[in-house]
Amino acid sequence: MTTPLDNLLDLDQSALKAYCERVGEKSFRATQLFRWIHHRGVGNFDDMTDLARSLRAKLAGVAEIRPLRAITDKTSADGTRKWLFDVGQGNAVETVYIPEDDRATLCISSQAGCAVGCRFCSTGHQGFSRNLTTGEIIAQLWQAEHTMRAKLGLGANERAISNVVMMGMGEPLQNYAQLVPALRMMLDDHGYGLSRRRVTVSTSGVVPMIDRLREDCPVALAVSLHAPDDALRDQLVPINKKYPIDELLGACERYLEAAPRDFITMEYCMLDGVNDSPAQARQLVELVKNRLPVKFNLIPFNPFPESGLKRSSNARVLAFGEVLLEAGLVTTIRKTRGDDIDAACGQLAGEVQDRTDAQRRMTRSIPIVAAAPSTPNKSVPPTLKQ
Ligand code: SAH
Ligand code: SF4
């Protein structure tokens, strides 16, 4: 039986230094190698022309730069591009490239499936399959960056992707050990050179891991809040039963101590008649006002049949946002992108094969606490940033 080759995409620069020493090379070679792979996008040792031929041959015998195989690769009319990558054994994950006027964001997956099981999320309905490796997480950026760089005709020192959000499939903080080296590669000047504030980890609220991230790699933090009280959040985001809202906000406060000029983004998926009343918006204001600096990002729900939930009307989203704005909270409404290729939030991996438990999870019905009665919609001018 042949030993599998080591995947160099698994190694951040310090791990690559240790690896070079282990195979009998000077550790400074690691920086050269790292730059070839991540900065220049080279996936073949033979093309790394300033490395000695003997080193290239040695590496080719023990290591590889393992790309992900794209099952599909679709570009939307609005320029959004979505790759569905094969991660083996019938599992696939998605990566979405979202170009805007002044930036381009890559939305990356951290797990195949997700164990948190949020009520409104199709990934959550599929169940958990496995954690991605560091190499599989960074390969999404490696492939998207270099593919887009070539497509856009950019030079070696120009970047196609300016922002990364860990908002694809999976709960990144439940794959912490594999996540952190990947984040370090994103920030590394010899890698992707992204600033700390342009890399966002989105979490459903794994409190102990928020504390660890603050120590290890305090990138921008987004929290999937989705409800103003524990009774409702327990049902929408089940991890709330373990780490309720007050503890979650406490972790956010501690997080900002490590990043004092930052704020926390609060994601809030707008579900018709469930969490979208003006009264609930006022509850949210009470929750965060005078406690920590936040920005609210209201996400129109992307429906899928098994959820049994509906998207809030635009008028209701605007009315909700107005309450937050009037209380002085910065609020944006997320634009839905790539609808025509199913690349919108929570629609990811619709095509992934069923897993053992998926069918049961799909049909499981979870009751939702009725929302407080809503006041009639008033007509609100569209002053919110979209
Ligand atoms: N597991 C992490 C990151 C991935 S989900 C988290 O939950 O934060 C990324 C974002 O998409 C989260 O805010 C999530 O709540 C939101 N989302 C999930 N399903 C959605 C859907 N069907 N419509 C709109 N947003 C959704
Ligand atoms: Fe997992 Fe995030 Fe989906 Fe919840 S919203 S099931 S945490 S991916």
Side-chain angles (χ1 to χ4, degrees):
M1 222 176 77
T2 51
T3 343
L5 299 172
D6 299 315
N7 182 8
L8 297 191
L9 292 179
D10 279 327
L11 309 178
D12 63 12
Q13 225 192 130
S14 66
L16 196 57
K17 284 197 167 119
Y19 186 83
C20 282
E21 282 167 14
R22 224 170 37 244
V23 297
E25 285 298 324
K26 296 263 185 319
S27 67
F28 75 85
R29 292 279 174 223
T31 308
Q32 258 178 309
L33 195 50
F34 192 82
R35 283 185 69 83
W36 272 114
I37 301 171
H38 296 285
H39 195 79
R40 309 202 39 186
V42 169
N44 189 330
F45 298 117
D46 262 350
D47 297 337
M48 302 182 181
T49 45
D50 63 357
L51 295 184
R53 231 176 255 281
S54 56
L55 171 57
R56 285 188 254 160
K58 189 197 289 182
L59 284 172
V62 290
E64 65 178 335
I65 297 141
R66 196 179 303 149
L68 292 170
R69 187 181 71 83
I71 301 169
T72 59
D73 172 358
K74 295 181 190 159
T75 302
S76 151
D78 67 14
T80 301
R81 183 165 176 174
K82 182 183 84 166
W83 293 269
L84 180 69
F85 287 120
D86 181 12
V87 291
Q89 297 179 320
N91 293 307
V93 296
E94 286 182 332
T95 307
V96 185
Y97 168 84
I98 308 148
E100 285 169 282
D101 293 343
D102 57 343
R103 68 174 97 170
T105 303
L106 193 70
C107 178
I108 291 184
S109 296
S110 56
Q111 300 179 311
C114 181
V116 178
C118 298
R119 178 80 162 80
F120 49 84
C121 172
S122 73
T123 307
H125 278 247
Q126 284 162 21
F128 176 68
S129 190
R130 73 165 173 86
N131 281 328
L132 297 189
T133 61
T134 297
E136 289 166 333
I137 297 172
I138 206 69
Q140 298 170 62
L141 177 57
W142 184 67
Q143 279 166 245
E145 170 64 30
H146 299 293
T147 305
M148 291 314 299
R149 213 184 269 180
K151 181 162 190 240
L152 301 170
L154 301 178
N157 288 320
E158 292 176 290
R159 279 191 220 116
I161 292 160
S162 60
N163 296 62
V164 167
V165 293
M166 298 300 308
M167 292 185 186
M169 293 173 74
E171 169 47 59
L173 295 187
Q174 286 189 339
N175 186 14
Y176 190 80
Q178 304 288 341
L179 171 75
V180 169
L183 295 177
R184 292 203 172 116
M185 288 188 243
M186 295 174 197
L187 305 187
D188 195 320
D189 282 339
H190 294 299
Y192 302 88
L194 298 175
S195 80
R196 201 179 57 72
R197 290 193 176 85
R198 286 174 176 264
V199 174
T200 301
V201 168
S202 174
T203 180
S204 55
V206 192
V207 164
M209 294 300 148
I210 295 177
D211 284 325
R212 283 188 59 188
L213 190 66
R214 179 194 68 211
E215 298 297 326
D216 293 335
C217 196
V219 294
L221 187 68
V223 167
S224 290
L225 191 58
H226 308 308
D229 60 71
D230 284 324
L232 181 58
R233 195 165 191 270
D234 279 354
Q235 295 185 57
L236 295 176
V237 187
I239 202 170
N240 193 69
K241 293 181 199 141
K242 197 159 181 200
Y243 305 115
I245 294 176
D246 189 54
E247 281 181 36
L248 177 56
L249 296 182
C252 292
E253 286 175 299
R254 293 192 293 280
Y255 198 84
L256 291 177
E257 285 165 17
R261 282 179 299 120
D262 286 15
F263 55 86
I264 307 282
T265 301
M266 292 289 174
E267 293 162 278
Y268 199 94
C269 181
M270 299 295 294
L271 304 165
D272 183 46
V274 174
N275 66 355
D276 64 346
S277 74
Q280 285 164 316
R282 286 191 289 276
Q283 263 181 288
L284 277 184
V285 173
E286 289 309 309
L287 210 54
V288 298
K289 197 109 203 266
N290 306 322
R291 184 160 181 184
L292 75 165
V294 295
K295 282 189 185 174
F296 269 93
N297 191 1
L298 306 180
I299 314 171
F301 171 57
N302 291 306
F304 56 101
E306 302 80 19
S307 73
L309 297 164
K310 286 199 293 246
R311 177 188 286 197
S312 306
S313 68
N314 289 347
R316 218 156 148 82
V317 176
L318 283 171
F320 194 92
E322 275 303 307
V323 174
L324 303 178
L325 271 183
E326 276 164 20
L329 300 173
V330 177
T331 305
T332 54
I333 300 172
R334 187 174 297 171
K335 266 188 279 185
T336 297
R337 298 288 304 264
D339 254 349
D340 52 339
I341 54 165
D342 284 349
C345 303
Q347 288 185 326
L348 301 183
E351 302 127 277
V352 179
Q353 291 171 24
D354 265 5
R355 298 190 192 86
T356 340
D357 205 28
Q359 209 54 42
R360 188 183 64 77
R361 284 169 179 274
M362 303 277 236
T363 49
R364 183 178 55 175
S365 92
I366 307 162
I368 286 278
V369 173
S374 59
T375 50
N377 284 341
K378 59 177 176 169
S379 161
V380 182
T383 49
L384 292 169
K385 279 188 241 160
Q386 298 246 358

